Amino acid sequence: MRRIGIGVAALAMMLAACGPTAAAPVAQSSPEEGSTIINTISVSGTGEVAGVPDTLIVDLGVSLMRSSVDQATRDAADLASGVIDAVRSAGVEERDIRTTNYSIWPEYDYRNDQQTLRGYRVTNTISIKIRDLDAAGAVIDAATAAGGDEAVVNGIRFDIEDNGALVVAAREAAWNDAFAKAQQLASLAGLELGSAVSISESTTSAPPIYYDRAYGLAESGDATPIQPGEQQVSVTITVSFAVGS
């Protein structure tokens, strides 16, 4: 009986000793096994290129008030049709004429703590795209003449419709800017700059230039002067580069 007890104790000690060793491979396994951690430097770069606008977009139309809705809508329809006919005759293509707003609302006079109906206002505006910038002033004048005292010009904005080449040039300048920044940062940190691992881009153009009819029309018989100037096309990119020691 003594021998059996010693044998059992010895066997228990052997199993206890072997237990952790057999379980070790499972305990050391990792869900991230085989994954690679990439150290990066993230920088942004901006490139700007100037170009001459090739189109002009004008928001214009008529706005009038009459004592009744029926009279206001009829008069506005007649004047708006005249404005559209005028811009067509001035060379604006049908595809470049688009209605952007039509609204009717009552206007009140609130003097002397009383609300008095003044009439009903109808506004009908269109957006036109003028591709011949030399004729832009004449087109605007023709439209406002057709609208008479009820004509409105809400604003103009120049655009570069064919801006593909400018975007390409601005993108290249943005890349060069970002790459130079990354090279400098890597050098300062004592690291070796690697390849780009991610790139994002945003493109912007200059904001619209607004034109107020009250001050923009020429007083003489000359056409309203319209100067396109230059417009900036800007590309901003954010790039992450891999780096190593």
Side-chain angles (χ1 to χ4, degrees):
M1 294 296 292
R2 181 179 180 83
R3 290 178 181 176
I4 292 175
I6 294 173
V8 172
L11 179 60
M13 292 175 65
M14 290 176 63
L15 290 173
C18 294
T21 303
V26 177
Q28 292 175 356
S29 65
S30 171
E32 296 181 359
E33 185 176 353
S35 63
T36 302
I37 299 176
I38 301 177
N39 295 321
T40 62
I41 289 178
S42 295
V43 295
S44 62
T46 301
E48 290 187 346
V49 178
V52 178
D54 52 18
T55 57
L56 176 66
I57 301 170
V58 187
D59 297 320
L60 51 80
V62 296
S63 180
L64 56 84
M65 185 174 65
R66 298 290 186 266
S67 59
S68 67
V69 172
D70 181 65
Q71 188 65 47
T73 54
R74 282 190 285 109
D75 289 353
D78 290 341
L79 287 173
S81 296
V83 170
I84 293 173
D85 290 341
V87 297
R88 283 174 181 156
S89 299
V92 178
E93 300 180 24
E94 189 68 34
R95 62 181 176 129
D96 294 328
I97 304 173
R98 178 172 57 92
T99 298
T100 55
N101 177 56
Y102 182 84
S103 57
I104 306 172
W105 70 92
E107 287 195 359
Y108 295 93
D109 189 337
Y110 293 95
R111 289 179 295 181
N112 300 323
D113 296 327
Q114 292 183 346
Q115 176 179 300
T116 305
L117 178 66
R118 297 179 57 213
Y120 296 89
R121 180 166 296 279
V122 174
T123 298
N124 189 342
T125 56
I126 61 174
S127 176
I128 62 173
K129 181 178 291 186
I130 303 173
R131 300 177 187 275
D132 181 5
L133 294 186
D134 291 336
V139 173
I140 294 173
D141 289 346
T144 54
D149 293 338
E150 321 287 1
V152 293
V153 178
N154 293 329
I156 70 171
R157 53 197 181 277
F158 291 100
D159 189 25
I160 302 176
E161 193 168 60
D162 185 13
N163 67 349
L166 294 176
V167 172
V168 169
R171 183 180 293 126
E172 182 177 354
W175 169 264
N176 291 337
D177 183 34
F179 187 66
K181 290 176 181 177
Q183 281 186 315
Q184 183 186 20
L185 290 173
S187 177
L188 291 171
L191 301 172
E192 181 179 350
L193 190 66
S195 302
V197 295
S198 69
I199 305 173
S200 62
E201 173 191 278
S202 63
T203 304
T204 59
S205 297
I209 301 174
Y210 290 100
Y211 164 96
D212 190 332
R213 177 175 180 263
Y215 300 101
L217 291 177
E219 293 295 333
S220 65
D222 297 333
T224 298
I226 299 294
Q227 298 296 326
E230 287 189 341
Q231 187 171 8
Q232 296 287 332
V233 174
S234 177
V235 173
T236 299
I237 62 173
T238 301
V239 188
S240 292
F241 292 92
V243 293
S245 55

